[in-house]
Amino acid sequence: MKIDRIDQGRNGRRLEKLLDPGSCFVRLRDAGISEGASRLKLEQQLSLSYTVIVPLGGSGTLELGDQCMVMKKDHPYFCPPECTFGWSGDGSGELSAMILRLDIYEERDGLVEAISPERMSSAIPMGKGIPVTPAGRLEKLCRAIQANVNSRDRLKGWRAHLDCCELLFAAAAATSERTTDTREALERSKAYMEERFVEEITINQLAAIAELSPKYYVDLFKKTYGVSALDHLTKLRMDKAKLLMTHSDRLLKDIACEVGYTDPFYFSRKFKQTFGLSPSQYMKQRSRRLAVYGRSAIVGYLLAMKVIPHAAPLHPMWSKLYYMQYGSDIPFHLNAVRQNYHRSQNLELIAQSKPELIITHQDLEQWERERLTAIAPIVELQDEERGWKEGLLALAEVLGERSEAHRWIEGFESKLEHSRQKLSHVGDRPRVLTLKRLRNQFFLFGNRGMHDVLYDGLGVRAAYEHPDPNYSIPISLEEIDHIEADTVLLLICRDSETLEEWKALQQSTAWLTMRMVRDNKLHQIPSQPWREYSPLALEQMIDEAMQIFYGNCP
């Protein structure tokens, strides 16, 4: 069982002083350069240690948790433990970057302990680029580390460790010097917008804050953030308007005034233009305050009934679909990184959201159930053993959305039947093997969602049969190679250790000579929807399965 972790240090002491770099110890766990056309996209992965990303070539966008930023050369980016990172290239050239994974410790009062991200950020900021001079210094260090990190010569290994410490020193020194550049100038103008969006703001004002000409400011802002400065200002106002609509009983004209619009009719037009529905329609849709606690899969049940929760666990990696499409509509984002790590923090956010009803799962601990019921009445989603349809209808009964639930089920069954018929016209049903890779081990892997969609729904054959829909059984490469399958679905767990093991395996002779690799039968699948059991996840599985089997969606 995981418990909440509070970074107070030993004997409950608080973080009472700044980090002393002289008391720190660094261990370089691994290092490697990711480059080439195949690296234009790196899906988010979980960092189990401190991770430093150093762009070396090309250009693109770096994702650190729910933050997005343009990657800049000569800027290291620090990702703390238990955070996720990924990137996407802009297509202008091959994107390459150095990835360093570090353990960082400090000696305090005679004891050596891991440095928390809070303390580390007092020396090196987490989650933002740090400009390091002179140009090329970081790349030189990264190339040297790459050349020596895996050497059998212990002196060269030590050299890689010292170069890593030199890189950390350069970042810390640049931080203390508070070097400025055009990106920081743009950030000042963004901060101004975020603080004073209610006021009338012009491009000339923003350009003056950034100390740039108006024309150059407009072009640079759009190039840097992918949206114009005025569109960003509009989004700030509209997002704030949505929060006011869901947090208060203010009149529409008062909300318009509070977000910078003196004309409520113009505000209504802008709102509908931005979100596709009028403010009155939005307020009616969000009249109930529902909170989701625990699994983000519960959001997939609510959205099937067109119900958007007021608070829910969201994350750009583990619940990407919900985060990207509905994140701005959900005012309170609960922490979705490793469900059992942040329960106290999430309970506090639930209380702040002041819900009318809390929807949760059945496997709560008693102390959680007591805390939740003290906040608002709770509804526990039925166990998945009874099936998603029964769970959806039971939840719809509580929420008064039974007709909406039936409508969704009818549409789902129609889509499933259409897809099944399409498969039946092709010939023999494909024989499918589902696998999972965790660290250096493969597993025969299945769950209730895969079972409902692939075997009961689409009618494909299982290359490996198990009496329980939910199973995870270790298996070797040799054993996999003896299983007859037409299609192999492989889920790679997205933590840093697993991804490093997977990267090395793909270069090995043992892997390249596998039948499923030689015959191009292998397809990687993402965690969402394939590990989630909810109505929306199952619908997405149908689309992805048909794309895999025949290259087009139903």
Side-chain angles (χ1 to χ4, degrees):
M1 179 185 68
K2 300 286 194 306
I3 60 174
D4 290 332
R5 298 177 297 176
I6 303 174
D7 291 316
Q8 293 181 324
R10 296 181 183 271
N11 303 320
R13 67 170 179 262
R14 295 285 176 182
L15 306 178
E16 73 283 354
K17 59 183 180 180
L18 296 177
L19 178 68
D20 175 14
S23 66
C24 295
F25 305 88
V26 178
R27 182 171 76 93
L28 177 59
R29 298 181 65 161
D30 60 71
I33 295 177
S34 176
E35 57 188 343
S38 63
R39 300 299 178 185
L40 286 177
K41 177 68 177 177
L42 180 71
E43 295 291 343
Q44 285 215 25
Q45 58 182 266
L46 176 66
S47 175
L48 301 180
S49 60
Y50 284 98
T51 300
V52 186
I53 301 104
V54 184
L56 301 178
S59 58
T61 299
L62 178 66
E63 301 167 5
L64 289 178
D66 59 1
Q67 299 181 68
C68 292
M69 59 200 76
V70 175
M71 297 174 73
K72 300 184 68 174
K73 200 172 180 182
D74 299 312
H75 285 59
Y77 298 82
F78 284 75
C79 175
E82 304 300 334
C83 184
T84 60
F85 70 93
W87 64 62
S88 57
D90 62 9
S92 61
E94 294 184 356
L95 180 62
S96 63
M98 184 78 173
I99 301 178
L100 301 160
R101 293 187 173 88
L102 318 169
D103 292 323
I104 308 178
Y105 306 92
E106 67 172 326
E107 182 178 358
R108 301 181 69 195
D109 302 329
L111 299 173
V112 175
E113 53 191 34
I115 298 178
S116 70
E118 290 80 5
R119 283 184 61 74
M120 191 65 196
S121 62
S122 68
I124 300 175
M126 302 289 105
K128 61 184 294 185
I130 305 164
V132 172
T133 56
R137 178 184 182 186
L138 288 181
E139 181 171 1
K140 183 178 179 180
L141 286 171
C142 289
R143 299 292 181 187
I145 293 170
Q146 172 77 355
N148 295 321
V149 66
N150 294 317
S151 174
R152 294 183 180 180
D153 186 329
R154 292 186 177 182
L155 282 177
K156 289 185 177 180
W158 188 26
R159 178 71 261 176
H161 176 84
L162 294 176
D163 285 336
C164 177
C165 292
E166 173 70 15
L167 191 151
L168 293 181
F169 170 79
T175 300
S176 66
E177 293 168 6
R178 307 186 70 85
T179 306
T180 61
D181 61 3
T182 54
R183 176 59 186 264
E184 291 179 342
L186 290 178
E187 289 291 342
R188 288 199 303 273
S189 72
K190 278 187 72 179
Y192 182 87
M193 281 190 272
E194 289 163 6
E195 292 172 5
R196 309 179 73 167
F197 61 83
V198 176
E199 303 173 9
E200 182 178 350
I201 297 176
T202 67
I203 289 295
N204 286 340
Q205 284 178 281
L206 297 173
I209 292 168
E211 299 179 348
L212 300 169
S213 71
K215 185 179 185 307
Y216 183 56
Y217 174 82
V218 168
D219 293 341
L220 188 61
F221 194 100
K222 180 70 178 288
K223 181 179 178 180
T224 302
Y225 300 111
V227 64
S228 73
L230 292 182
D231 284 345
H232 178 69
L233 178 61
T234 297
K235 186 177 186 304
L236 289 173
R237 289 170 170 170
M238 293 302 165
D239 286 346
K240 178 63 175 179
K242 287 198 296 187
L243 286 175
L244 292 173
M245 290 176 192
T246 54
H247 277 74
S248 68
D249 298 322
R250 293 177 176 87
L251 296 174
L252 187 59
K253 64 177 183 179
D254 295 330
I255 292 176
C257 186
E258 286 196 46
V259 298
Y261 295 96
T262 56
D263 184 348
F265 298 104
Y266 178 72
F267 164 72
S268 295
R269 288 198 301 273
K270 291 290 288 185
F271 190 94
K272 188 169 185 178
Q273 179 184 344
T274 305
F275 300 116
L277 70 170
S278 69
S280 57
Q281 289 172 320
Y282 181 80
M283 286 191 286
K284 181 179 180 181
Q285 185 187 75
R286 305 304 311 279
S287 58
R288 291 178 298 182
R289 292 192 177 200
L290 303 179
V292 172
Y293 176 81
R295 302 171 187 164
S296 58
I298 299 173
V299 179
Y301 282 84
L302 293 177
L303 293 176
M305 298 179 284
K306 299 181 181 177
V307 175
I308 301 175
H310 195 66
L314 293 176
H315 192 276
M317 186 174 100
W318 281 284
S319 53
K320 185 175 182 178
L321 174 66
Y322 310 142
Y323 179 88
M324 297 300 293
Q325 294 189 13
Y326 302 97
S328 63
D329 291 319
I330 300 175
F332 291 87
H333 291 193
L334 276 60
N335 196 315
V337 178
R338 296 197 175 192
Q339 180 181 319
N340 290 331
Y341 270 51
H342 305 279
R343 289 180 290 182
S344 293
Q345 173 189 340
N346 285 341
L347 285 165
E348 290 175 7
L349 283 172
I350 288 278
Q352 291 175 28
S353 71
K354 299 179 180 179
E356 300 170 7
L357 188 69
I358 301 170
I359 304 166
T360 183
H361 50 275
Q362 290 187 325
D363 53 344
L364 293 174
E365 293 189 23
Q366 185 58 34
W367 70 273
E368 290 178 282
R369 185 175 283 105
E370 291 173 357
R371 288 276 298 275
L372 288 171
T373 53
I375 297 169
I378 67 171
V379 173
E380 297 182 24
L381 191 65
Q382 294 185 10
D383 191 273
E384 70 177 44
E385 291 297 324
R386 302 175 68 175
W388 67 268
K389 290 181 186 177
E390 189 169 337
L392 180 63
L393 291 173
L395 186 57
E397 193 70 40
V398 174
L399 300 179
E401 298 288 352
R402 192 169 182 83
S403 61
E404 198 65 55
H406 277 294
R407 189 179 301 113
W408 196 91
I409 291 172
E410 289 173 7
F412 176 86
E413 291 180 338
S414 175
K415 182 175 193 172
L416 188 60
E417 180 60 26
H418 173 76
S419 301
R420 183 204 291 266
Q421 291 296 326
K422 187 170 185 178
L423 289 179
S424 67
H425 292 156
V426 176
D428 290 341
R429 296 172 300 158
R431 188 168 41 217
V432 178
L433 177 66
T434 54
L435 300 172
K436 177 179 71 175
R437 175 82 174 178
L438 177 61
R439 294 185 173 84
N440 62 350
Q441 178 67 59
F442 280 103
F443 295 84
L444 294 165
F445 171 70
N447 58 38
R448 185 64 182 269
M450 290 179 172
H451 184 272
D452 286 1
V453 169
L454 295 176
Y455 311 122
D456 282 356
L458 296 176
V460 304
R461 295 176 292 164
Y464 172 82
E465 295 186 3
H466 194 278
D468 187 347
N470 299 298
Y471 60 89
S472 184
I473 303 169
I475 187 171
S476 67
L477 279 178
E478 294 76 16
E479 291 171 321
I480 293 173
D481 215 25
H482 284 90
I483 298 177
E484 296 294 332
D486 302 307
T487 301
V488 180
L489 305 182
L490 173 61
L491 191 151
I492 305 294
C493 294
R494 299 204 61 80
D495 63 84
S496 54
E497 291 184 17
T498 298
L499 292 172
E500 283 301 309
E501 294 279 359
W502 170 236
K503 180 181 176 181
L505 175 66
Q506 288 177 286
Q507 308 302 317
S508 69
T509 302
W511 175 255
L512 294 173
T513 55
M514 293 280 290
R515 285 190 300 162
M516 63 180 179
V517 178
R518 292 198 322 263
D519 298 341
N520 199 28
K521 295 179 177 180
L522 182 69
H523 301 268
Q524 281 188 235
I525 56 175
S527 292
Q528 194 186 34
W530 294 95
R531 294 186 75 170
E532 179 178 314
Y533 192 69
S534 77
L536 256 62
L538 268 62
E539 182 182 47
Q540 194 177 353
M541 280 185 209
I542 296 174
D543 290 340
E544 293 195 8
M546 295 300 288
Q547 179 73 31
I548 289 169
F549 295 147
Y550 297 106
N552 60 343
C553 294

